[in-house]
Amino acid sequence: MKKKLLAGALALAVLTGGTLAFAADQSQTLVSLGYLNGTFWDDLKAIVKMDVDRNTTALYNDAVEKVGAGGSAGAPAAQTGKNGDVVSAATGSVLVWTEGNGIVRGGTLVDATAGAEVTAGGALTVGHRYLAGTDVALVVTSGAAGWMAEGAWTVTSGQPVLPFVDVPQSEWYYSDVAYVYQNGLFNGDSPTTFVPDGAMERCMMTTVLHRLAGEPQVSYSGLFRDVADGQWYTAGIMWAGQQGVVSGIGDNLFDPFSSVTRQEIAVILHRYAAGIGRDVSQSASLSGFWDAATVADWGEAAMSWAVASGIVNGSDGALLPDGYATRAEVAAMLHRFVNWANR
């Protein structure tokens, strides 16, 4: 079936690169180039599309029928994996992805739920049902994952990996991003991108700390009039506000989508550390940083603590207290903070 799909695509490619190019290079042709590019080409595309659609539909229907009928390999078995594990199966094997993140490393999966193929580099979706269209290998990219398997699915241990194409292992922040992602503190901007240089918003920061605290239950209140109930960031902001980790910007506003500054992060972490009973009496002189005078009065104690604790290191001799922190920088600060708190 797949060969027919490829044959249809190849026919289009050959005709595009062959027949039309030939006609365009001839000064005398039996039919006009306009006809070839117009009526003939449109009719040909329609015929090929019908053939591809027919074969694709049959492939998807086969997948849905096998999954819906319970497959041919007996009752589905629950399996689990951890980051880096490689999950392999032969053609025709079926699984339902139930938890965590994974990507296709090789081969082709048919997503019977969405009616689409997932090829190498494509992400799996929780709750979707898949059929191995060819021999296939998946890799778990979250701290843990789970699935219901039918057929010969095998799991082998591998090196921990990140699914993000924009976080190469050579970057200074790779281990920090790996830590926050694998521990469920940060999500990617998409299944395959982290956007390390993107701005860290105030609502993201409170959400991350809420996750670090174990996502305790919290009730909605009118603490901040610009934070509506039922949003993805509501619980984190409510929790942080009620715990005194954040105090807003005045006039009962939180300004959730503004970027968070480095000294704001220091203050937030300082308050969080004190709230969980950690000793925050450490302090360091800021005089070694050329821009120390730009640290606000309200942020000085927290910045002094963050420097003494190794959470803030500065950049080229500067603290940049009013500089907006990127997602990668916050990942690094949070990783250092957890290491400090666990000492």
Side-chain angles (χ1 to χ4, degrees):
M1 188 71 69
K2 190 171 183 63
K3 289 181 178 178
K4 291 184 178 180
L5 285 171
L6 294 174
L10 182 61
L12 288 173
V14 168
L15 286 165
T16 302
T19 303
L20 295 187
F22 175 81
D25 290 340
Q26 307 304 307
S27 58
Q28 299 293 326
T29 58
L30 294 176
V31 292
S32 71
L33 182 59
Y35 172 77
L36 287 175
N37 281 331
T39 304
F40 174 78
W41 181 238
D42 290 340
D43 289 346
L44 181 60
K45 285 193 295 184
I47 292 170
V48 173
K49 183 179 184 303
M50 288 174 59
D51 187 56
V52 171
D53 287 345
R54 180 171 60 253
N55 290 319
T56 301
T57 300
L59 183 62
Y60 294 155
N61 288 342
D62 286 344
V64 173
E65 182 179 352
K66 287 189 177 183
V67 176
S72 58
Q79 293 184 338
T80 60
K82 62 182 183 302
N83 184 268
D85 283 352
V86 178
V87 188
S88 305
T91 304
S93 299
V94 177
L95 66 73
V96 178
W97 197 256
T98 58
E99 179 186 7
N101 300 317
I103 59 175
V104 177
R105 171 174 285 181
T108 301
L109 277 182
V110 176
D111 185 335
T113 302
E117 289 186 359
V118 187
T119 54
L124 279 74
T125 302
V126 170
H128 282 211
R129 297 177 291 180
Y130 296 94
L131 173 73
T134 65
D135 290 354
V136 69
L138 321 172
V139 61
V140 177
T141 57
S142 54
W147 57 92
M148 301 297 293
E150 296 180 40
W153 291 94
T154 60
V155 182
T156 56
S157 296
Q159 293 297 317
V161 295
L162 290 176
F164 307 124
V165 297
D166 55 355
V167 184
Q169 291 187 355
S170 58
E171 288 291 350
W172 65 267
Y173 50 74
Y174 181 86
S175 64
D176 300 311
V177 172
Y179 176 82
V180 297
Y181 176 69
Q182 291 167 5
N183 284 277
L185 302 178
F186 276 50
N187 296 320
D189 187 64
S190 78
T192 56
T193 58
F194 184 78
V195 192
D197 294 327
M200 187 74 175
E201 296 175 341
R202 289 166 57 83
C203 58
M204 292 180 188
M205 189 69 204
T206 51
T207 297
V208 166
L209 280 185
H210 187 220
R211 291 170 181 163
L212 180 62
E215 296 185 291
Q217 290 292 321
V218 62
S219 298
Y220 179 78
S221 68
L223 184 62
F224 303 113
R225 55 192 178 90
D226 57 350
V227 178
D229 193 11
Q231 304 302 308
W232 64 265
Y233 51 81
T234 302
I237 295 175
M238 290 295 107
W239 167 83
Q242 292 168 11
Q243 294 296 314
V245 176
V246 297
S247 56
I249 62 170
D251 196 24
N252 296 113
L253 296 173
F254 182 73
D255 197 15
F257 299 109
S258 285
S259 299
V260 66
T261 67
R262 292 164 64 85
Q263 67 180 343
E264 286 173 341
I265 293 171
V267 169
I268 290 170
L269 292 178
H270 186 255
R271 291 173 179 168
Y272 178 81
I276 60 175
R278 297 297 187 271
D279 180 7
V280 292
S281 63
Q282 287 177 286
S283 63
S285 173
L286 303 181
S287 61
F289 299 96
W290 62 262
D291 61 346
T294 65
V295 176
D297 291 342
W298 53 264
E300 186 172 355
M303 285 294 277
S304 176
W305 162 81
V307 170
S309 306
I311 296 167
V312 172
N313 296 329
S315 176
D316 295 327
L319 285 172
L320 306 175
D322 293 320
Y324 294 125
T326 66
R327 285 166 55 84
E329 290 170 341
V330 176
M333 285 187 272
L334 196 65
H335 192 188
R336 295 171 196 152
F337 172 80
V338 173
N339 288 338
W340 169 83
N342 290 336
R343 284 203 295 251

